[in-house]
mmCIF file of all heavy atoms in Angstrom:
data_model
loop_
_atom_site.group_PDB
_atom_site.id
_atom_site.type_symbol
_atom_site.label_atom_id
_atom_site.label_comp_id
_atom_site.label_asym_id
_atom_site.label_seq_id
_atom_site.Cartn_x
_atom_site.Cartn_y
_atom_site.Cartn_z
ATOM 1 N N LEU H 61 -3.491 27.551 -82.949
ATOM 2 C CA LEU H 61 -3.707 26.136 -82.687
ATOM 3 C C LEU H 61 -2.450 25.320 -82.933
ATOM 4 O O LEU H 61 -2.225 24.295 -82.337
ATOM 5 C CB LEU H 61 -4.855 25.630 -83.544
ATOM 6 C CG LEU H 61 -5.280 24.167 -83.337
ATOM 7 C CD1 LEU H 61 -5.754 23.988 -81.919
ATOM 8 C CD2 LEU H 61 -6.316 23.777 -84.362
ATOM 9 N N LEU H 62 -1.626 25.805 -83.832
ATOM 10 C CA LEU H 62 -0.427 25.061 -84.186
ATOM 11 C C LEU H 62 0.757 25.368 -83.294
ATOM 12 O O LEU H 62 1.771 24.710 -83.378
ATOM 13 C CB LEU H 62 -0.042 25.380 -85.642
ATOM 14 C CG LEU H 62 -1.140 25.069 -86.677
ATOM 15 C CD1 LEU H 62 -0.655 25.482 -88.066
ATOM 16 C CD2 LEU H 62 -1.537 23.625 -86.644
ATOM 17 N N GLN H 63 0.619 26.362 -82.379
ATOM 18 C CA GLN H 63 1.717 26.719 -81.480
ATOM 19 C C GLN H 63 1.402 26.241 -80.052
ATOM 20 O O GLN H 63 0.262 26.277 -79.622
ATOM 21 C CB GLN H 63 1.919 28.248 -81.475
ATOM 22 C CG GLN H 63 2.342 28.774 -82.832
ATOM 23 C CD GLN H 63 2.498 30.287 -82.799
ATOM 24 O OE1 GLN H 63 2.139 30.916 -81.817
ATOM 25 N NE2 GLN H 63 3.034 30.831 -83.880
ATOM 26 N N PRO H 64 2.395 25.822 -79.346
ATOM 27 C CA PRO H 64 2.151 25.348 -77.975
ATOM 28 C C PRO H 64 1.633 26.466 -77.090
ATOM 29 O O PRO H 64 2.126 27.572 -77.147
ATOM 30 C CB PRO H 64 3.528 24.863 -77.508
ATOM 31 C CG PRO H 64 4.332 24.669 -78.766
ATOM 32 C CD PRO H 64 3.812 25.639 -79.772
ATOM 33 N N SER H 65 0.624 26.153 -76.284
ATOM 34 C CA SER H 65 0.053 27.130 -75.368
ATOM 35 C C SER H 65 0.904 27.247 -74.113
ATOM 36 O O SER H 65 1.506 26.278 -73.656
ATOM 37 C CB SER H 65 -1.382 26.726 -74.987
ATOM 38 O OG SER H 65 -1.853 27.535 -73.959
ATOM 39 N N HIS H 66 0.940 28.478 -73.539
ATOM 40 C CA HIS H 66 1.679 28.662 -72.279
ATOM 41 C C HIS H 66 1.052 27.861 -71.141
ATOM 42 O O HIS H 66 1.739 27.314 -70.282
ATOM 43 C CB HIS H 66 1.705 30.156 -71.903
ATOM 44 C CG HIS H 66 2.497 30.977 -72.905
ATOM 45 N ND1 HIS H 66 3.863 30.871 -73.004
ATOM 46 C CD2 HIS H 66 2.091 31.894 -73.837
ATOM 47 C CE1 HIS H 66 4.306 31.719 -73.952
ATOM 48 N NE2 HIS H 66 3.228 32.337 -74.477
ATOM 49 N N HIS H 67 -0.292 27.809 -71.133
ATOM 50 C CA HIS H 67 -0.966 27.000 -70.096
ATOM 51 C C HIS H 67 -0.660 25.526 -70.261
ATOM 52 O O HIS H 67 -0.506 24.789 -69.295
ATOM 53 C CB HIS H 67 -2.480 27.229 -70.155
ATOM 54 C CG HIS H 67 -2.855 28.661 -69.889
ATOM 55 N ND1 HIS H 67 -2.766 29.225 -68.635
ATOM 56 C CD2 HIS H 67 -3.317 29.640 -70.733
ATOM 57 C CE1 HIS H 67 -3.161 30.503 -68.700
ATOM 58 N NE2 HIS H 67 -3.501 30.762 -69.971
ATOM 59 N N MET H 68 -0.573 25.072 -71.477
ATOM 60 C CA MET H 68 -0.271 23.670 -71.740
ATOM 61 C C MET H 68 1.148 23.343 -71.309
ATOM 62 O O MET H 68 1.427 22.285 -70.762
ATOM 63 C CB MET H 68 -0.446 23.387 -73.230
ATOM 64 C CG MET H 68 -0.407 21.903 -73.578
ATOM 65 S SD MET H 68 -1.922 21.090 -73.094
ATOM 66 C CE MET H 68 -3.038 21.821 -74.284
ATOM 67 N N ALA H 69 2.031 24.282 -71.526
ATOM 68 C CA ALA H 69 3.424 24.048 -71.129
ATOM 69 C C ALA H 69 3.567 23.976 -69.623
ATOM 70 O O ALA H 69 4.317 23.167 -69.088
ATOM 71 C CB ALA H 69 4.306 25.174 -71.692
ATOM 72 N N ASP H 70 2.811 24.829 -68.918
ATOM 73 C CA ASP H 70 2.865 24.783 -67.463
ATOM 74 C C ASP H 70 2.303 23.475 -66.905
ATOM 75 O O ASP H 70 2.785 22.934 -65.912
ATOM 76 C CB ASP H 70 2.083 25.958 -66.846
ATOM 77 C CG ASP H 70 2.812 27.274 -67.099
ATOM 78 O OD1 ASP H 70 4.016 27.218 -67.372
ATOM 79 O OD2 ASP H 70 2.147 28.334 -67.019
ATOM 80 N N LEU H 71 1.241 22.990 -67.595
ATOM 81 C CA LEU H 71 0.581 21.786 -67.122
ATOM 82 C C LEU H 71 1.490 20.570 -67.190
ATOM 83 O O LEU H 71 1.487 19.715 -66.316
ATOM 84 C CB LEU H 71 -0.702 21.549 -67.926
ATOM 85 C CG LEU H 71 -1.527 20.325 -67.519
ATOM 86 C CD1 LEU H 71 -2.014 20.490 -66.108
ATOM 87 C CD2 LEU H 71 -2.664 20.138 -68.508
ATOM 88 N N TYR H 72 2.284 20.519 -68.221
ATOM 89 C CA TYR H 72 3.117 19.346 -68.428
ATOM 90 C C TYR H 72 4.585 19.614 -68.124
ATOM 91 O O TYR H 72 5.461 18.884 -68.522
ATOM 92 C CB TYR H 72 2.983 18.838 -69.875
ATOM 93 C CG TYR H 72 1.612 18.291 -70.159
ATOM 94 C CD1 TYR H 72 0.628 19.079 -70.731
ATOM 95 C CD2 TYR H 72 1.298 16.979 -69.795
ATOM 96 C CE1 TYR H 72 -0.626 18.591 -70.962
ATOM 97 C CE2 TYR H 72 0.035 16.486 -70.022
ATOM 98 C CZ TYR H 72 -0.926 17.284 -70.620
ATOM 99 O OH TYR H 72 -2.169 16.797 -70.865
ATOM 100 N N SER H 73 4.830 20.652 -67.421
ATOM 101 C CA SER H 73 6.200 20.943 -67.019
ATOM 102 C C SER H 73 6.628 19.995 -65.911
ATOM 103 O O SER H 73 5.848 19.600 -65.065
ATOM 104 C CB SER H 73 6.305 22.395 -66.531
ATOM 105 O OG SER H 73 7.582 22.634 -66.007
ATOM 106 N N SER H 74 7.863 19.658 -65.873
ATOM 107 C CA SER H 74 8.385 18.753 -64.844
ATOM 108 C C SER H 74 8.522 19.430 -63.493
ATOM 109 O O SER H 74 8.685 18.794 -62.484
ATOM 110 C CB SER H 74 9.754 18.204 -65.281
ATOM 111 O OG SER H 74 10.656 19.274 -65.447
ATOM 112 N N LYS H 75 8.470 20.743 -63.359
ATOM 113 C CA LYS H 75 8.586 21.470 -62.106
ATOM 114 C C LYS H 75 7.218 21.577 -61.446
ATOM 115 O O LYS H 75 6.303 22.156 -62.014
ATOM 116 C CB LYS H 75 9.162 22.860 -62.382
ATOM 117 C CG LYS H 75 9.387 23.653 -61.096
ATOM 118 C CD LYS H 75 9.997 24.994 -61.423
ATOM 119 C CE LYS H 75 10.218 25.796 -60.149
ATOM 120 N NZ LYS H 75 10.814 27.120 -60.434
ATOM 121 N N PRO H 76 7.020 20.995 -60.262
ATOM 122 C CA PRO H 76 5.688 21.015 -59.629
ATOM 123 C C PRO H 76 5.358 22.402 -59.131
ATOM 124 O O PRO H 76 6.235 23.204 -58.844
ATOM 125 C CB PRO H 76 5.849 20.047 -58.458
ATOM 126 C CG PRO H 76 7.308 20.102 -58.139
ATOM 127 C CD PRO H 76 8.022 20.330 -59.430
ATOM 128 N N PRO H 77 4.068 22.687 -58.970
ATOM 129 C CA PRO H 77 3.665 23.995 -58.452
ATOM 130 C C PRO H 77 4.106 24.131 -57.000
ATOM 131 O O PRO H 77 4.060 23.182 -56.231
ATOM 132 C CB PRO H 77 2.141 23.978 -58.579
ATOM 133 C CG PRO H 77 1.778 22.543 -58.600
ATOM 134 C CD PRO H 77 2.896 21.849 -59.306
#
Side-chain angles (χ1 to χ4, degrees):
L61 184 62
L62 302 178
Q63 296 179 351
S65 171
H66 294 290
H67 299 288
M68 191 75 70
D70 290 340
L71 181 63
Y72 293 95
S73 174
S74 61
K75 183 178 180 180

